[in-house]
Amino acid sequence: MAKMEEKDIAIQITGLKKRYRLGVIGGGTLAGDLQSWWARIRHKEDPNSKVGSKTYGKNETFMALDGIDLTVYKGERIGIIGHNGAGKSTLLKLLSRVTGPTEGEIKLDGRISSMLEVGTGFNGELTGRENIYLNGAILGMTKAEIDGKIDKIIEFSECAQFIDTPVKRYSSGMYVKLAFAVASHLDSEILIMDEVLAVGDMAFQKKCLEKMSQVSKDEGRTILYVSHNMNTIRQLCDRCIVMNHGKIIYNGGVEEAIGIYLDVEKNQQEMHISYENERRPIYIGDNFMIKLMGFDLLNRSEYVFYPDEKIEFQLKAHCFLDCENISLRAELKNREGQAISSAFIPLLKQATANEDYTIPFSMDLSCFRPDRYTVTFVLFQMNDISKASMEFDVVFRGFSFELRQNENIFWNTKYWGNTALNFLEKK
Amino acid sequence: MEKKWTAVIKPKKKLLDLNLKETFKYRDLIWLFVARDFKTRYKQTILGPLWFIIQPLMASVIHTLVFGQIAGLSTDGVPQFLFYLAGSITWGLFSGALTATSNTFVSNAGVFGKVYFPRLTTPIATSITQIFNFLIQFAIFGGTALVFFFLPDEHFRVTWVAALTPILVIQLALLGLGFGIIISSLTTKYRDLQVLVGFGVQLWMYITPIVYTSNELIVDGVVSKLYVAMMLNPVSSIVELFKYGWLGAGSTPWLFWGISWVTTFVVLIFGILIFNKIEKNFMDTV
């Protein structure tokens, strides 16, 4: 990196900040604003502020980006990772000039084109071909440039057969393919992408990643790519930054960055997790008979486990009304949110109103394989006669943990699955 | 050696940093927007593009009935239907350009929020679409005029002023564009203006000589204060010249036309300035 000179810089960001106002921004009607203004000069309470919303007053602000400094050299493929709300998308928005910064500046060398969303400006009534022209022009190409590339774009999109059909008749996959085909054939020197690869089938995703790598290597284009999918980051990027609370907390190698990112996620989970204010599904309502109040991880200080270990924890519940035959269902979900398995456990034969219950558990991990798991807890009552269950409480994100693999075995979870069951034996 | 950057993004734009050059670079996009508007406008309708023609014809029929027959307003001896048709299509151009551009930001928020291109391309394309609409309607006007030309007892005359038509058309579109982008910039914050545009434009038509001639306000060769007030409305003199050119009705208010041009430029420049200021951060308030 040291031999890079100033002329090789593609993007230089210095002291970049973006501030958003919290609460309601500008009443929305002229009359409302005048009312607020009139109240303010008389030192009266704003008639348009919500009752009890003192906590997020009009002048409170939130720094979506809090001082970003970043230099990107030409031909680099930079991955940007961070949990939701870290400021990744805001950074991309500023770079693509969708909105302006509050402080600091961005210097760009080269045309920039952004794909914050695929198919921006697509019109359902127009045919695929017409949309290629429209979308290409929105992304900054001239008609002549598109003319020269249209055959390549159509071929890449795999939609040649339907190219003269209105896109509203397309399947969502075809739509995405067409949109990506246009965007990836742009001539711009800097390409910004926000999880556009999250859609489309596996084969097409692979094709897109290869295309991106190829344009970066062959034509020296710079790529900034935001994703929550670590595999695509690994495949595409050669440098990675980790963002947290509007700041860059790491800038360097991809694997190190992913490690730091996962730690950031993990550290945000305390040993004690309160469920009291956790959002419940609507059908649960607000009048609980019995409610899960919290979770404690026992005998451990972090949420990292190995398959030969057990997770020991306890759940706290509060009973509001007398009820009986309460059972617990624990649903284990993998990183993609797919349910892997569920356990049904009878919990309380008889629960008494205004009573607190603390119930210890032990979770066996021996048949699960490396991934990041989330456990959902459901309290329910089984009706003995109809055999139907009635749900009393649901906590979707009970807790999350990282299951690592024992060093001697390599398990490829993505292709081999989340569980290791002994279903086959040699006769 | 100081590096030359393609673009520098800073918090505040200079007031006069208009980027018109960049807008010009995106001219292909403007034309594609125009083509899109035309292709998609009347998809899945029974009458399709016929609507371009039906609207002014119906308006003229109603105007003939209400203002011509019932109210009995003078049309300077020109066939009533033709007189009102000329009024409808010119007014349609101005009001169309104004209303269609006045919700630029709100209706395009989805696209604007995802990708950058010079925002001014959208209202410009909309105005060009309106000019094309006008040209179609103007052809209908011409056809109708030809029919009336061969009818006995119907008189109108085409004067040399008709040669100014292209300028008049462009001026109407520019004026509509100017007012439209001012309103669109303000509607990012205040949605009330959208309601105002709806009936404001309707009322505006009545202070413009669309269904009457300015001659009504000239009594014994002396212009009334009302005449001056009406003519200060920048649309009035344009409409008057159009009708004088093609039908020989009304007057040729050259002085007021000059004032109208000044107004057009002031409105347009002010519009572009405010539009330019809003476009940068409007995504945060829209």
Side-chain angles (χ1 to χ4, degrees):
Chain A
M1 208 66 74
K3 61 183 184 295
M4 290 286 189
E5 291 170 31
E6 200 194 358
K7 69 175 171 55
D8 295 321
I9 297 175
I11 305 171
Q12 188 160 49
I13 302 174
T14 38
L16 195 67
K17 291 185 183 182
K18 178 69 181 175
R19 185 185 296 120
Y20 283 105
R21 277 203 284 173
L22 285 181
V24 183
I25 301 169
T29 69
L30 186 56
D33 266 15
L34 286 176
Q35 242 179 352
S36 305
W37 170 79
W38 178 237
R40 258 204 315 281
I41 58 168
R42 290 181 304 155
H43 301 290
K44 291 258 173 70
E45 198 176 331
D46 186 347
N48 291 313
S49 67
K50 271 193 194 154
V51 177
S53 70
K54 279 273 180 257
T55 33
Y56 294 112
K58 258 203 157 176
N59 295 320
E60 283 199 44
T61 56
F62 164 75
M63 299 301 286
L65 288 182
D66 198 1
I68 299 280
D69 294 289
L70 179 67
T71 305
V72 179
Y73 294 93
K74 286 178 183 168
E76 276 194 296
R77 285 160 290 156
I78 307 246
I80 302 174
I81 52 182
H83 62 90
N84 289 334
K88 308 182 297 288
S89 298
T90 309
L91 179 61
L92 294 200
K93 274 188 180 173
L94 292 184
L95 276 167
S96 49
R97 294 204 274 172
V98 164
T99 184
T102 311
E103 271 177 53
E105 65 173 19
I106 304 172
K107 289 177 176 166
L108 301 169
D109 185 13
R111 283 194 291 171
I112 199 162
S113 60
S114 58
M115 284 191 268
L116 300 190
E117 184 187 78
V118 283
T120 308
F122 266 31
N123 188 306
E125 302 287 350
L126 297 179
T127 68
R129 191 186 301 275
E130 289 164 338
N131 267 311
I132 292 179
Y133 278 97
L134 185 62
N135 196 231
I138 286 178
L139 294 169
M141 280 195 268
T142 64
K143 194 161 176 297
E145 282 175 326
I146 306 170
D147 280 335
K149 293 186 168 184
I150 185 120
D151 292 333
K152 265 196 269 172
I153 295 175
I154 294 173
E155 194 201 320
F156 189 87
S157 73
E158 303 170 356
C159 295
Q161 202 184 339
F162 313 101
I163 205 68
D164 292 309
T165 308
V167 297
K168 64 177 175 182
R169 312 247 181 267
Y170 280 29
S171 74
S172 53
M174 284 158 61
Y175 194 88
V176 169
K177 285 178 182 185
L178 186 67
F180 187 84
V182 182
S184 63
H185 284 81
L186 293 173
D187 273 331
S188 51
E189 289 81 12
I190 304 165
L191 203 54
I192 293 180
M193 296 190 294
D194 192 357
E195 288 205 279
V196 282
L197 301 180
V199 272
D201 56 38
M202 286 293 284
F204 193 74
Q205 277 191 25
K206 192 160 166 275
K207 190 172 160 185
C208 294
L209 283 173
E210 277 162 9
K211 173 81 184 169
M212 298 325 311
S213 307
Q214 181 225 319
V215 296
S216 167
K217 280 173 194 148
D218 299 353
E219 300 162 32
R221 289 205 234 165
T222 312
I223 295 175
L224 269 83
Y225 176 56
V226 163
S227 182
H228 287 115
N229 184 334
M230 296 305 135
N231 283 324
T232 57
I233 294 267
R234 279 192 186 101
Q235 284 174 54
L236 183 65
C237 304
D238 49 18
R239 184 150 74 101
C240 202
I241 63 172
V242 184
M243 293 185 68
N244 194 24
H245 294 299
K247 290 195 167 91
I248 293 179
I249 56 169
Y250 179 81
N251 179 355
V254 177
E255 286 307 324
E256 294 87 331
I258 291 175
I260 287 168
Y261 165 63
L262 292 176
D263 271 343
V264 169
E265 210 173 54
K266 187 177 67 207
N267 288 341
Q268 286 181 339
Q269 198 168 267
E270 303 285 328
M271 295 308 109
H272 169 77
I273 305 169
S274 168
Y275 294 157
E276 274 182 70
N277 299 318
E278 191 81 1
R279 200 206 291 261
R280 306 311 211 253
I282 297 161
Y283 63 87
I284 295 296
D286 292 328
N287 302 316
F288 289 97
M289 287 181 76
I290 184 164
K291 184 179 180 183
L292 286 167
M293 304 304 278
F295 165 96
D296 289 297
L297 183 67
L298 302 174
N299 309 326
R300 287 296 274 258
S301 57
E302 53 174 8
Y303 289 85
V304 177
F305 297 91
Y306 290 87
D308 55 358
E309 294 177 316
K310 285 188 164 50
I311 304 179
E312 305 201 329
F313 64 89
Q314 61 187 27
L315 283 177
K316 289 189 175 128
H318 182 82
C319 181
F320 291 90
L321 289 169
D322 287 352
C323 45
E324 51 188 23
N325 290 331
I326 303 298
S327 299
L328 175 82
R329 185 170 76 236
E331 301 164 0
L332 187 69
K333 286 164 187 166
N334 69 5
R335 189 190 295 271
E336 268 87 46
Q338 206 172 18
I340 301 303
S341 189
S342 289
F344 292 74
I345 299 170
L347 214 58
L348 300 163
K349 196 93 195 112
Q350 196 74 46
T352 331
N354 302 322
E355 199 75 30
D356 281 314
Y357 294 93
T358 301
I359 308 133
F361 292 91
S362 165
M363 187 170 177
D364 185 10
L365 299 170
S366 58
C367 53
F368 298 113
R369 287 300 171 259
D371 205 344
R372 188 170 177 82
Y373 293 94
T374 302
V375 181
T376 297
F377 292 119
V378 180
L379 285 183
F380 68 98
Q381 186 183 44
M382 199 62 130
N383 186 319
D384 283 338
I385 302 150
S386 68
K387 299 291 173 206
S389 70
M390 157 128 177
E391 294 185 356
F392 287 149
D393 193 9
V394 177
V395 177
F396 281 120
R397 291 183 63 88
F399 71 103
S400 301
F401 65 92
E402 175 102 20
L403 186 62
R404 296 207 174 146
Q405 60 191 16
N406 292 322
E407 276 130 37
N408 51 348
I409 325 154
F410 174 77
W411 184 273
N412 197 340
T413 310
K414 188 158 185 182
Y415 297 103
W416 300 350
N418 286 89
T419 55
L421 307 171
N422 295 317
F423 63 93
L424 192 66
E425 74 181 289
K426 190 178 158 217
K427 284 268 181 182
Chain B
M1 192 187 77
E2 192 61 22
K3 187 176 162 76
K4 180 134 176 48
W5 300 98
T6 317
V8 177
I9 304 170
K10 282 184 183 162
K12 283 233 164 54
K13 249 191 209 175
K14 284 188 207 102
L15 189 64
L16 290 171
D17 184 10
L18 291 180
N19 249 338
L20 292 180
K21 213 163 127 194
E22 200 186 12
T23 310
F24 182 71
K25 246 196 250 165
Y26 275 76
R27 59 192 181 280
D28 284 344
L29 179 61
I30 296 180
W31 289 111
L32 284 162
F33 275 145
V34 173
R36 176 199 62 183
D37 288 349
F38 263 92
K39 282 178 189 153
T40 58
R41 183 98 175 264
Y42 293 113
K43 282 254 169 105
Q44 291 202 357
T45 57
I46 298 170
L47 295 177
L50 274 180
W51 282 111
F52 286 121
I53 303 163
I54 293 171
Q55 283 166 357
L57 286 181
M58 291 295 281
S60 307
V61 168
I62 300 294
H63 285 171
T64 310
L65 279 174
V66 176
F67 302 107
Q69 301 299 319
I70 299 172
L73 293 178
S74 157
T75 57
D76 283 359
V78 169
Q80 284 179 344
F81 184 77
L82 215 49
F83 180 85
Y84 294 122
L85 188 58
S88 293
I89 62 172
T90 43
W91 181 253
L93 172 58
F94 170 73
S95 69
L98 195 159
T99 18
T101 51
S102 70
N103 58 2
T104 303
F105 281 120
V106 178
S107 64
N108 288 298
V111 185
F112 286 0
K114 294 296 179 190
V115 61
Y116 174 82
F117 53 91
R119 308 311 194 201
L120 208 51
T121 50
T122 334
I124 290 176
T126 314
S127 307
I128 294 175
T129 309
Q130 294 296 330
I131 292 182
F132 279 113
N133 281 355
F134 173 82
L135 291 181
I136 296 171
Q137 295 173 349
F138 183 68
I140 299 305
F141 171 74
T144 318
L146 214 59
V147 172
F148 275 93
F149 185 75
F150 290 112
L151 286 181
D153 305 328
E154 301 283 11
H155 303 288
F156 65 93
R157 60 198 169 91
V158 179
T159 65
W160 70 270
V161 178
L164 292 176
T165 305
I167 303 173
L168 298 176
V169 167
I170 288 168
Q171 193 189 359
L172 276 175
L174 288 178
L175 204 52
L177 173 70
F179 280 111
I181 57 179
I182 291 174
I183 295 165
S184 73
S185 306
L186 298 176
T187 40
T188 58
K189 217 172 161 221
Y190 304 115
R191 297 289 157 83
D192 334 36
L193 284 163
Q194 264 171 340
V195 187
L196 185 73
V197 171
F199 74 89
V201 168
Q202 265 181 336
L203 295 182
W204 195 340
M205 190 185 92
Y206 292 103
I207 56 164
T208 311
I210 300 294
V211 296
Y212 53 88
T213 77
S214 60
N215 287 344
E216 300 250 313
L217 302 174
I218 304 176
V219 187
D220 302 331
V222 181
V223 296
S224 60
K225 278 190 187 134
L226 213 54
Y227 176 87
V228 176
M230 193 256 305
M231 276 300 173
L232 283 177
N233 163 8
V235 195
S236 296
S237 53
I238 309 173
V239 173
E240 276 291 289
L241 285 174
F242 182 85
K243 288 205 278 199
Y244 186 83
W246 290 99
L247 302 172
S251 54
T252 48
W254 299 115
L255 172 67
F256 289 107
W257 193 41
I259 297 173
S260 170
W261 267 110
V262 174
T263 317
T264 305
F265 276 116
V266 169
V267 167
L268 197 60
I269 289 165
F270 180 69
I272 292 173
L273 287 178
I274 184 170
F275 188 90
N276 191 54
K277 189 157 171 52
I278 293 285
E279 72 165 23
K280 194 158 197 198
N281 282 312
F282 93 100
M283 272 320 295
D284 304 339
T285 54
V286 77

